[in-house]
Amino acid sequence: MSQIEQVSLFQASLSKSRSAYQVQLSPAMVDQLGAYYELFLRWNERLHLVAPCSPEEFATRHVLESLTLIQHFTKGATVIDIGSGAGLPIIPCLIASPDIKATLIESSQKKSVFLREALKTVGALKRATILSKPFEALSAPKAEFVTCRALDDFSSAVGSLVRWAPTGSTLLLFGGPTLRQRLEDLNLQTTETLLPNSDRRFLFEVTKS
């Protein structure tokens, strides 16, 4: 299948499935997401940003799932995204919410290059900062929200992440039962939302007081 065909299927799946995720996308946003996906296809084979999947799965499992965060952000929110990798969840959110600003923290230099290209491609580079270090090596920037969709050994790292996050921020973390158990072990008050089209993936909301 050609890249043009893959992008077309991806955009069609966005339009078909977005209502199930309670996501609103203008035609211009669908075009921007298509440009992001086209760039992703060119880079993924050599950087292994995301495990191979169909255009339809990338649209739902990765992009629309990421966009469920929009319901939680305040207008003009400042966001720190940890382990940005392929730009998920933050790049789709920057496209769908032109008022938010973000700091992307990604320890891989090569993936950071991809993130810069992706942000430039979708016109969000001026609203984003990329820091190419592990989050533990940095002081947390001021932000209202901290997002994380994938980290190496996430369940073990989540305690460090919560301690690192700015006081008063809300952490929005994607995961399953293992992450839930770890959050319970840390005695953290959480709110969880089952993600659409899944019975084991949740969005966990943790407020750091």
Side-chain angles (χ1 to χ4, degrees), residues 122-133:
V122 303
L125 190 57
K126 291 184 178 179
R127 292 187 287 124
T129 301
I130 302 170
L131 301 177
S132 302
K133 292 183 179 181

Side-chain angles (χ1 to χ4, degrees), residues 83-158:
S84 298
L88 301 164
I90 195 61
I91 288 180
C93 291
L94 285 164
I95 291 170
S97 290
D99 57 305
I100 69 171
K101 296 181 180 179
T103 299
L104 288 66
I105 298 180
E106 171 52 56
S107 59
S108 166
Q109 295 286 337
K110 291 181 179 179
K111 291 179 181 179
S112 295
V113 173
F114 165 77
L115 291 170
R116 182 169 298 278
E117 287 301 309
L119 289 165
K120 187 187 302 183
T121 296
V122 303
L125 190 57
K126 291 184 178 179
R127 292 187 287 124
T129 301
I130 302 170
L131 301 177
S132 302
K133 292 183 179 181
F135 74 89
E136 301 95 331
L138 299 164
S139 296
K142 290 183 179 180
E144 298 163 85
F145 298 91
V146 177
T147 60
C148 187
R149 193 166 184 272
L151 266 183
D152 291 338
D153 201 8
F154 193 5
S155 294
S156 297
V158 70

Side-chain angles (χ1 to χ4, degrees), residues 46-60:
R46 64 179 184 272
L47 290 189
H48 308 291
L49 298 164
V50 171
C53 63
S54 68
E56 294 89 346
E57 183 180 358
F58 194 84
T60 54

Side-chain angles (χ1 to χ4, degrees), residues 179-197:
L179 180 57
R180 176 201 288 131
Q181 185 61 57
R182 181 58 179 152
L183 293 170
E184 290 176 357
D185 292 344
L186 292 167
N187 294 316
L188 295 170
Q189 295 295 317
T190 66
T191 301
E192 65 179 57
T193 304
L194 180 66
L195 293 165
N197 298 319

